[in-house]
Amino acid sequence: MTSSESVRPPMPEHVVVGERRGRSPTMCRMTDDAAPLPLDSPRWGQLWTRMGPGAYPVPQALRDLGDDPADRERFRELWAELCAEETTYDAAYAALPHLVDLAARVDPSDADEYLVVAGLIATYASEVPGDLEPAYTEARRRGLTLALERLASCGTGADLRYLLASVAALRGRTDLAEVLQDLDAIQDSCPSCGTVVHPSMLEAVVERDRSS
């Protein structure tokens, strides 16, 4: 997907297509409250990232971002381990409350990447472990509020489209979110000459995004 530098964070080059494995093995229920999973909890060791079981690097990355939430490079390294190749790994459900907290701390323009990734996590979410669900659900609610506030002042190019996708995902319309996220990739081949074309209405929107 094509995106502006300020919105959807670029996927690091090392990310490759992997096995769909977003859920960890048998879970034990911990608590019903909506408090985020503590960064020193041993539960992180049972969760999966793109690299497999044992999400030990995630709490440290969140600590680093807590010290400097505007560190985009560190954030981009983290989010690629949480949600990649249309898969949300279950460490993302534990991380989302912390990511939304970080989004609330930074300047609105710096919150966009956090909110877009929150939308991606929600778009490709599957079964949320029961012990993580209360905090994850509350984080989705708070993330939606932040995204709606940001819509009033964001740019009108790709920024707007990706934030709208996040709003759709956080509202539960993951089908609409996928369309908005992949708008510049929706295409077909001409039956006569084989040229790859965008449907005309989509093409106009894509071109406006690219020129903004």
Side-chain angles (χ1 to χ4, degrees), residues 78-90:
L78 170 63
W79 88 261
E81 300 304 321
L82 301 175
C83 184
E85 304 297 339
E86 300 185 355
T87 299
T88 293
Y89 299 94
D90 60 7

Side-chain angles (χ1 to χ4, degrees), residues 59-71:
Q60 184 56 54
L62 291 170
R63 289 188 187 96
D64 294 342
L65 288 168
D67 294 334
D68 182 9
D71 186 345

Side-chain angles (χ1 to χ4, degrees), residues 27 31 59 62-63 120 139 164 178 200:
M27 310 293 178
T31 176
L62 291 170
R63 289 188 187 96
L120 290 171
L164 285 170
E178 286 191 70
S200 58

